[in-house]
Amino acid sequence: SGFLLFGIALVYGATGTFDIPNMAAIVASAQTIPSFFYVGVLMMLVAMCFKVAAAPFHFWSPDVYQGSPTLVTAFMSTVVKTAAMAAFIRLFSVFAPNNVAGSWTTILAVISGASLLIANFTAATQQSVKRMLAYSSISHAGFMLLAIVSNTTNSFSAILYYTMAYSFGSIAVFAILNTVARAQDGDETFSAFHGLGKRNPFVAACMVIALLSLSGIPITSGFFAKYFVLSGLFGKGFSWLIITAILCSAVGVYYYFKLIIAMYFREPKKAEAISFEPVHLVAIAITTAFTIALGLFPESILRMLA
């Protein structure tokens, strides 16, 4: 918050306004911009990267996710992250003109690549499902930042579509994790999901749909979300970033599929069925339905968000 406030103060000192449209007009028309303006932009960039848990400002995220109640973690990973991303692109769309964009675009591209690499390879080594989801959240933040790097007219709608696909999948996974962990005496490791396909077939099927979407398997909403984001980078000189994102997505498939294997190919610790509260079942069913709908009509939904 201190970095953000200091950055805003420096940008205000350079432009003389807090109004975002006026700021954009001043930045676009200025012949010369004071050097401390760029310092302010970079300070705001650091603050917003911390808020969305992008590397190397991500260290708080796994511990907070693991230490918080599961429903609070679900709220942080969806609503809070969506709001932070909206603020991120709202602020940095101001600095799109060529006389400013170069000062932060390359830095943000490096941050996006680092987030993808660090988060995915670290998530693959986790034993706690909640910590794995925390690192996957960092990875998804890296993907969403790619849309800001591309700076296209569709960047905002691509981020909105991505946050919708990610949020619906995450809510379903966290809602299932909340009940499964309680049924397993607080166990939040992969072993808690052993045999869930037999103990509650409906919930396990919803979990599979959510995980397939989060991993970006083709024809799911997660696949189209990543496609819309990456397509904006083509022709922008960030081929290395596109390759990094695709390779990291393959790593993501590995750790998401570990959960699917645990549900269907591992024997459960307890044989009795896991019962879910009706409100949780309704939430899981609704988010699963929205995940399917986003994957069936991606272009229509993207046009609605434009």
Side-chain angles (χ1 to χ4, degrees), residues 61-120:
S61 182
D63 293 332
V64 172
Y65 274 44
Q66 187 175 28
S68 302
T70 302
L71 295 181
V72 175
T73 304
F75 179 80
M76 287 193 303
S77 70
T78 54
V79 177
V80 174
K81 182 150 289 189
T82 298
M85 276 295 172
F88 206 135
I89 194 169
R90 186 74 181 93
L91 277 174
F92 280 83
S93 62
V94 174
F95 309 123
N98 292 331
N99 57 341
V100 178
S103 65
W104 60 267
T105 303
T106 303
I107 295 173
L108 190 57
V110 173
I111 289 173
S112 302
S115 299
L116 292 168
L117 288 168
I118 293 172
N120 281 287

Side-chain angles (χ1 to χ4, degrees), residues 38 72 82 90 94 105 124 127 155 158 180 202 253 263 270 288:
Y38 298 99
V72 175
T82 298
R90 186 74 181 93
V94 174
T105 303
Q127 296 302 314
S155 290
V180 169
F202 170 75
V253 171
M263 289 190 295
K270 301 178 182 179
T288 302

Side-chain angles (χ1 to χ4, degrees), residues 184-215:
Q184 298 293 116
D185 303 318
D187 184 9
E188 294 179 343
T189 63
F190 285 86
S191 61
F193 287 84
H194 286 182
L196 184 62
K198 297 178 181 177
R199 301 177 71 183
N200 198 314
F202 170 75
V203 169
C206 291
M207 186 74 158
V208 169
I209 293 171
L211 292 172
L212 291 178
S213 177
L214 290 174
S215 59

Side-chain angles (χ1 to χ4, degrees), residues 6-64:
F6 206 142
I8 291 172
L10 291 174
V11 170
Y12 169 75
T15 61
T17 179
F18 286 117
D19 187 77
I20 293 178
N22 288 343
M23 192 184 298
I26 292 170
V27 168
S29 60
Q31 296 295 324
T32 59
I33 301 175
S35 57
F36 60 83
F37 172 85
Y38 298 99
V39 177
V41 171
L42 293 178
M43 290 187 77
M44 287 196 296
L45 179 65
V46 169
M48 299 308 297
C49 284
F50 184 91
K51 289 182 181 293
V52 301
F57 314 103
H58 66 285
F59 292 102
W60 63 272
S61 182
D63 293 332
V64 172

